[in-house]
């Protein structure tokens, strides 16, 4: 069952009255632990109890990310949905199944790549992430990227792309361009859920994935 923000704040206030400010110190420990991380696994363990924003109080699972820690390509979605929240893995619902098929078409599997989201906890009713949530969660993405050090980031969908690139451009203006994020090449394509909703997007999405294959996979 979800909790509204009033309930969450009442709960925190109760905790503070009972235990003093310890809970706030705990929160600080999470952000401090972002520094000096050695591996994705130890990083995950250091942040998976995060309560920096309200999403931490309504999530079922923290959805860190999965895949190859040495991947050349990192796919970044927006935020976990219902199924991802329940299972604790990104892109495990219908959109994820379609993503697996597209990856297979360019000879990739989940073991070859890394997949995560900008936001690690499910926003209630799958609403768009709030700017404050992005500000608090994005450093986790940046640390993941610095540990993986991929050749390419693929932003899946307008929300992920616009959040990362700090733009309000429509997705069609962001495709077919190479951006830089944290010094790494970044391209934008459709979110697989958009392809399920509108099959007309499948052709341009396939062109994006062919470009990814030709430019970043057939090089070695
Ligand atoms: N949509 C996303 O953006 N991310 C997921 O993990 C699942 C659906």
């Amino acid at each position: 069952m979800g909790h509204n923000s009033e309930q969450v704040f009442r709960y925190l206030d109760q905790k503070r009255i009972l235990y003093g400010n310890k809970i706030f110190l705990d929160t600080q420990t999470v952000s401090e632990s972002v520094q000096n991380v050695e591996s994705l696994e130890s990083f995950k363990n250091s942040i998976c109890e995060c309560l920096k924003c309200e999403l931490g109080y309504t999530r079922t699972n923290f959805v860190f990310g999965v895949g190859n820690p040495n991947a050349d390509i990192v796919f970044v979605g927006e935020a976990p949905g219902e199924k991802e929240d329940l299972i604790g893995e990104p892109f495990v619902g219908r959109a994820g199944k379609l993503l697996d098929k597209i990856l297979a078409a360019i000879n990739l599997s989940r073991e070859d790549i890394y997949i995560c989201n900008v936001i690690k906890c499910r926003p209630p009713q799958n609403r768009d992430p709030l700017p404050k949530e992005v500000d608090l969660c994005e450093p986790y993405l940046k640390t993941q990227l610095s540990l993986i050090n991929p050749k390419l980031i693929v932003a899946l969908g307008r929300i992920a792309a616009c959040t990362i690139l700090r733009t309000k451009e429509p997705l069609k203006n962001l495709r077919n361009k190479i951006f830089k994020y944290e010094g790494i090449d970044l391209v934008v394509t459709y979110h697989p859920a958009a392809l399920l909703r509108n099959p007309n997007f499948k052709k341009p999405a396939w062109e994006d994935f062919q470009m990814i294959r030709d430019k970043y996979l057939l090089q070695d």
Side-chain angles (χ1 to χ4, degrees), residues 90-108:
F91 286 97
V92 286
R94 271 183 76 219
K97 300 271 178 298
L98 178 58
L99 179 63
D100 289 344
K101 281 193 196 160
I102 302 171
L103 291 174
I106 58 166
N107 265 326
L108 289 176

Side-chain angles (χ1 to χ4, degrees), residues 63 76-81 84 89-93 95-96 115-117 156 160 191 193:
V63 182
V76 182
E78 172 188 338
E84 290 75 21
E89 252 190 55
F91 286 97
V92 286
I115 313 183
C116 59
N117 288 301
L156 294 170
H191 194 288

Side-chain angles (χ1 to χ4, degrees), residues 15-57:
K15 282 271 225 188
R16 194 174 51 76
I17 291 161
L18 285 170
Y19 304 115
N21 284 329
K22 185 173 180 304
I23 187 158
F24 301 111
L25 292 175
D26 284 349
T27 311
Q28 214 175 352
T29 311
V30 170
S31 27
E32 278 165 4
S33 66
V34 172
Q35 279 129 58
N36 303 324
V37 281
E38 278 162 18
S39 68
L40 278 178
E41 197 53 31
S42 63
F43 182 46
K44 177 182 174 178
N45 292 335
S46 71
I47 63 168
C48 65
E49 306 286 340
C50 180
L51 293 175
K52 285 202 289 180
C53 78
E54 285 185 24
L55 301 182
Y57 297 89

Side-chain angles (χ1 to χ4, degrees), residues 74-127:
V74 173
F75 289 84
V76 182
E78 172 188 338
E82 186 180 14
K83 218 164 186 176
E84 290 75 21
D85 174 61
L86 288 175
I87 296 177
E89 252 190 55
F91 286 97
V92 286
R94 271 183 76 219
K97 300 271 178 298
L98 178 58
L99 179 63
D100 289 344
K101 281 193 196 160
I102 302 171
L103 291 174
I106 58 166
N107 265 326
L108 289 176
S109 73
R110 287 208 179 205
E111 288 74 51
D112 300 313
I113 54 136
Y114 195 85
I115 313 183
C116 59
N117 288 301
V118 182
I119 299 285
K120 309 302 187 205
C121 302
R122 182 189 181 206
Q125 281 82 49
N126 299 340
R127 63 155 170 75

